[in-house]
Amino acid sequence: MRVSSKPRTSSPVTNPVIPGFHPDPSICRAGEDYYLACSSFEYFPGVPIFHSRDLVHWTQIGNALDRPGQLRLPPGTPSSGGIYAPTLRHHDGRFWLIVTNVSGDGNLLFTTTDPAGPWSDPIPLPGVHGIDPDLAWDDDGTCWCTTAGVGQIRIDPHTGETFGERQPLWSGAPGAKAPEAPHLYHIGDYWYLLIAEGGTERCHGVSIARGRTPQGPFEPCPANPVLTHRGTDHPIQNTGHADLVEGPDGSWWMVLLGVRPHGGTPGWHVLGRETFLVPVTWSEGWPVVGELSTVLAPPPWSLREPAAPPVRDDFDSGELAPAWVSLRSRPAENCTTKERAGWLSLRAAGESLDDPEVTFVGRRQQHVSCRARVLVDPAEGRGGLAVRLDEEHHYEIEVTPGEVRVLTRVGPFRSQVASRATAAGPVVLRIETAVTGQVSDARQGPDTVFLGVEDPEGAFTALAALDGRYLSTEVAGGFTGRVIGMYAAAGTVHFDWFDYEPAGPDGPGRPGSAD
């Protein structure tokens, strides 16, 4: 599937190229088209798939794992469990996707001729052990699967059968933590083995080795790590989990994950690990990674910018757009756009966002300052609008007939921090995030989260202004980022529309009085 776009004059590019919670990027090229997959963890549908013609502008065209038969995430699946680190490849006229479901099914392989879907049912790989599986084919068609550790085993990708024992290849710098995210490439005279090491926190980095065969032996690059921001004050941190791809003009590029911390010490990132792009050159047979910045020099080809995504989803379609995700599953009886025409109807399963089975439909927060609004009819239940990191870290504004209230969960503590009476009928709820400006306190959080209501004229009254650090990975732990969305906690709650838009680098300003 190709997404239509129009050429435009090259200009500086904003990094990340896929902002928000889109970690562990894996990329492949098929002719003039590029496709990219990311980890999805406890969210359903799983493994978002993106398309680009220029490596800069990406459009989500689907989710590879969008059927219960492909993705089993039991209610006991913990946050940051589920689907880890896909590898996406194009080989022999087909697309191949290999992932790990750490919550029960292990390593799985999927195929398709159209990356927009549908993808096949899973091919189990019981003989492949370890996370972050990679696929590579040698010249005679033998398929090699390499996993974190870093070890390798030969597989039949059509059946999932393995041959022989897993063999160790190369595990990066001696004593380095967590050699993972292996990718194997045949470029020129060498096979290159790219890995991440140092853990996916501040010491994350990218290293590479090369050998004459896909089985090695591998010699490490003298300049390893070829990319890291450890020990620096660079605005992009945790750089690693990379993949290489050839550009339209024969140049080379790397996609990788990174985070953008804000606030005081130690710095908090709230959007999760995001997908960045950086140029690569070659010197004496080794890749040299260019400068990674939040502003990327334009590549030497015309950019093809797709239409901007709409601010509003009116729920007029029979199916939800691919950007919408739910927690662990999405039973049709609990989530539908067909019960009330033009509305999304959510039927409660859990009693609050503390419950792993809560009915929730959300989208990734992609801007450090943003605004989300929703028109909700609570006449048949209780629910609202939430910003979520996991079951123990979330803020929400919840409405029942006649009352709206702000609730928080931070670790073991759950509180109601504000409430007010509201008129009967549908209510507009709103959440805004504002990035703090100059850091004057080492403990200053990364942003402020405002939760409130709008009156019929659109004026916003914030009922609470909450410190955003408590919805950050540095506080909560885990591998995900914020997701903003709608939920039902009792009965059935109907949502007429949902708006999401960036609020500018300075945030929404004065959102109104808190009471």
Side-chain angles (χ1 to χ4, degrees), residues 198-381:
T200 195
E201 299 82 30
R202 295 294 193 268
C203 287
H204 213 197
V206 181
S207 293
I208 196 165
R210 68 185 184 189
R212 294 293 184 176
T213 76
Q215 298 169 282
F218 289 94
E219 65 167 313
C221 176
N224 279 336
V226 293
L227 174 61
T228 187
H229 286 171
R230 63 183 64 143
T232 73
D233 60 358
H234 198 282
I236 304 170
Q237 290 291 324
N238 302 28
T239 51
H241 206 114
D243 204 0
L244 290 169
V245 70
E246 190 174 0
D249 63 346
S251 60
W252 284 85
W253 296 78
M254 176 183 285
V255 292
L256 70 150
L257 68 78
V259 306
R260 292 179 287 167
H262 292 276
T265 297
W268 295 272
H269 74 278
V270 301
L271 302 187
R273 299 172 300 162
E274 307 175 278
T275 290
F276 292 82
L277 179 70
V278 65
V280 174
T281 57
W282 294 84
S283 176
E284 298 181 353
W286 293 109
V288 178
V289 181
E291 180 184 0
L292 175 60
S293 173
T294 54
V295 178
L296 179 70
W301 54 79
S302 295
L303 302 184
R304 307 186 66 87
E305 186 171 5
V311 168
R312 174 164 295 184
D313 192 330
D314 276 310
F315 305 120
D316 290 331
S317 173
E319 303 294 333
L320 290 177
W324 291 110
V325 292
S326 296
L327 292 167
R328 300 170 184 85
S329 66
R330 187 186 288 164
E333 62 271 21
N334 293 342
C335 175
T336 181
T337 58
K338 300 173 183 177
E339 181 173 324
R340 183 189 288 191
W343 293 68
L344 172 65
S345 299
L346 301 182
R347 183 169 289 106
E351 295 183 354
S352 75
L353 284 167
D354 300 350
D355 192 324
E357 296 188 73
V358 67
T359 301
F360 174 84
V361 174
R363 54 151 296 156
R364 293 159 173 89
Q365 181 181 338
Q366 292 185 275
H367 304 84
V368 290
S369 293
C370 72
R371 178 183 300 112
R373 308 164 61 240
V374 65
L375 178 61
V376 53
D377 181 357
E380 301 174 34

Side-chain angles (χ1 to χ4, degrees), residues 361-415:
V361 174
R363 54 151 296 156
R364 293 159 173 89
Q365 181 181 338
Q366 292 185 275
H367 304 84
V368 290
S369 293
C370 72
R371 178 183 300 112
R373 308 164 61 240
V374 65
L375 178 61
V376 53
D377 181 357
E380 301 174 34
R382 171 171 57 89
L385 181 64
V387 52
R388 176 192 188 272
L389 198 63
D390 59 28
E391 276 76 31
E392 296 183 351
H393 301 84
H394 49 84
Y395 300 155
E396 56 261 34
I397 181 161
E398 183 172 278
V399 62
T400 57
E403 184 185 40
V404 63
R405 56 184 184 157
V406 175
L407 305 170
T408 67
R409 172 71 188 269
V410 177
F413 303 107
R414 180 171 176 83
S415 303

